[in-house]
Amino acid sequence: LREFLHESYTKNHSLKNLAMCFGINDFKLKKGFKELFATTVFDYLHDLRMEYAKQLLAANEVLVNEVSGMVGYKNPNHFSTAFKRKYGLNPTQLRN
């Protein structure tokens, strides 16, 4: 599952679909993932997406609005808020 998330973190996932893909129920998936990695599936996925966003922004080749959509946010303001919460700075500050 962890490897699968690393390969597909830009896609939308649900616990139900992930559990079906791996042939277990969603409760066991949540519980097992948390025991192994000390975080939830979606927190892990969020961290992967934020790290990807950080790389894109640091490369200074993609606009913040575009990065927002690439990591699964429909609203760029929500992305900016989440990014600032994670890294302590606005996405535009990373670009400067």
Side-chain angles (χ1 to χ4, degrees), residues 1-2 4-5 17-24 29:
L1 174 62
R2 184 172 174 239
F4 178 77
L5 292 176
N17 287 340
L18 288 171
M20 284 177 50
C21 284
F22 290 92
I24 59 175
L29 183 126

Side-chain angles (χ1 to χ4, degrees), residues 46-96:
H46 181 263
D47 287 346
L48 288 174
R49 289 174 176 165
M50 286 292 123
E51 188 58 37
Y52 180 55
K54 185 178 174 185
Q55 291 171 4
L56 290 171
L57 292 166
N60 211 17
E61 297 174 0
V62 185
L63 298 173
V64 174
N65 290 349
E66 294 171 323
V67 171
S68 169
M70 292 169 76
V71 296
Y73 283 84
K74 291 181 177 142
N75 185 324
N77 291 330
H78 292 167
F79 166 72
S80 292
T81 300
F83 192 89
K84 184 169 185 171
R85 192 176 308 123
K86 173 107 176 119
Y87 295 111
L89 60 148
N90 291 321
T92 53
Q93 291 175 302
L94 185 65
R95 301 190 83 166
N96 299 329

